[in-house]
């Protein structure tokens, strides 16, 4: 009997120790869920294809275990809260894709009429997706081995690596003013206004590295 009581006490202590870990997991899941919901709500209509939207909706559906859904009865299983201390595979090297941190209608409306001008939510968010594509291409060149690049591309890769090694861009996604070629963002009056809005809303930071004007992605909140 005493051995059974001790076993029960140990199990209860294990469950109590697991609660803080479970809370942190839920908090992280909720935060990521909010980011995905924001992306889905503000995604430009031209991008709302099944190939893009479906994976996001699936991610949202899988973000939390069923036991945390407010639409289902509260039923908890042992496995829901058991935090395993088993080793996991190391993450792959690289920063992942550049963030598509789309702006919301509220953010656009919060700008002064002078700054907003004739910009629309659609124009700004299309530009955000486009500059993220530039940043992804640059990250690929930075990480790509020489044997897979042509001579001209290798020279650009070396230049990008020098930029990526600076304090301002280290470990972050970035694109250059020279990368901006349209069609969603051009270096015309509208394009410059969009860049100003993105800086003002904290999506990007601008800096000069060597002879390049560099736009560094801010960390997504």
């Amino acid at each position: 009997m005493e051995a059974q009581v001790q076993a029960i006490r140990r199990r209860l202590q294990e469950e109590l120790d697991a609660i803080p870990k479970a809370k942190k997991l839920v908090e992280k899941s909720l935060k990521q869920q909010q980011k995905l919901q924001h992306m889905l709500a503000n995604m430009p209509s031209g991008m709302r294809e099944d190939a893009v939207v479906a994976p996001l909706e699936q991610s949202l559906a899988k973000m939390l275990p069923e036991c945390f859904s407010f639409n289902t009865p509260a039923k908890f299983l042992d496995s829901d809260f058991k935090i395993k201390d088993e080793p996991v595979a190391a993450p792959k090297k690289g920063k992942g894709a550049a963030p598509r941190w789309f702006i919301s209608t509220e953010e656009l409306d919060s700008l002064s009429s002078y700054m907003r001008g004739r910009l629309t939510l659609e124009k700004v968010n299309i530009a955000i997706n486009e500059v993220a594509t530039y940043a992804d291409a640059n990250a690929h060149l930075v990480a790509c081995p020489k044997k897979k690049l042509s001579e001209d591309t290798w020279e650009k890769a070396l230049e990008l690596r020098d930029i990526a090694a600076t304090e301002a861009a280290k470990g972050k996604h970035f694109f250059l003013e020279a990368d901006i070629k349209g069609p969603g963002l051009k270096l015309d009056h509208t394009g410059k206004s969009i860049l100003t809005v993105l800086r003002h809303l904290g999506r990007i930071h601008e800096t000069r590295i060597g002879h390049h004007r560099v736009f560094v992605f801010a960390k997504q909140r």
Side-chain angles (χ1 to χ4, degrees):
M1 180 65 72
E2 185 176 347
Q4 289 180 341
V5 170
Q6 291 296 330
I8 291 171
R9 284 178 177 173
R10 282 197 302 272
R11 180 58 186 273
L12 286 173
Q13 189 59 49
E14 288 174 1
E15 296 297 330
L16 288 172
D17 292 340
I19 288 175
K21 295 180 182 179
K23 285 182 177 178
K24 287 181 180 179
L25 178 62
V26 173
E27 288 170 3
K28 288 180 180 179
S29 296
L30 288 172
K31 191 172 182 180
Q32 184 65 15
Q33 185 184 39
Q34 289 171 354
K35 290 179 182 179
L36 290 173
Q37 285 173 333
H38 177 88
M39 283 183 65
L40 195 57
N42 297 289
M43 184 178 292
S45 58
M47 292 176 58
R48 296 184 67 83
E49 302 291 340
D50 289 342
V52 176
V53 176
L56 278 178
E57 290 178 337
Q58 290 170 8
S59 295
L60 285 171
K62 295 177 181 178
M63 192 58 63
L64 292 176
E66 185 181 347
C67 62
F68 293 119
S69 172
F70 295 105
N71 299 319
T72 56
K75 55 178 182 180
F76 302 97
L77 301 175
D78 257 2
S79 57
D80 292 331
F81 289 104
K82 193 171 290 183
I83 308 298
K84 296 183 179 179
D85 294 325
E86 297 173 358
V88 296
K92 293 181 179 180
K93 292 183 179 180
K95 299 184 289 293
R100 269 72 173 171
W101 186 9
F102 301 121
I103 71 167
S104 63
T105 302
E106 292 75 18
E107 286 178 300
L108 187 63
D109 291 343
S110 71
L111 302 172
S112 64
S113 57
Y114 173 78
M115 183 178 292
R116 186 170 64 248
R118 296 185 177 181
L119 295 179
T120 63
L121 191 70
E122 186 86 354
K123 285 181 180 179
V124 177
N125 284 338
I126 285 174
I128 287 175
N129 182 66
E130 193 162 290
V131 297
T133 303
Y134 300 152
D136 286 337
N138 288 339
H140 173 73
L141 285 178
V142 169
C144 197
K146 182 179 180 179
K147 61 183 180 180
K148 293 187 178 181
L149 300 174
S150 65
E151 192 64 33
D152 292 342
T153 309
W154 175 243
E155 289 180 7
K156 182 180 180 181
L158 288 176
E159 198 169 22
L160 290 173
R161 289 181 182 188
D162 288 341
I163 294 172
T166 62
E167 191 64 31
K170 191 172 184 179
K172 300 171 184 175
H173 287 95
F174 64 88
F175 64 98
L176 312 181
E177 183 180 55
D179 293 328
I180 301 173
K181 297 175 182 176
L185 182 68
K186 299 178 181 179
L187 289 175
D188 53 12
H189 178 72
T190 299
K192 291 176 182 177
S193 296
I194 290 174
L195 290 173
T196 298
V197 165
L198 296 183
R199 286 195 302 268
H200 181 78
L201 293 177
R203 292 326 195 249
I204 58 174
H205 302 301
E206 181 184 337
T207 186
R208 184 163 286 279
I209 301 175
H211 63 279
H212 285 292
R213 189 181 177 196
V214 182
F215 299 93
V216 182
F217 279 74
K219 186 176 180 180
Q220 189 169 353
R221 295 191 295 266

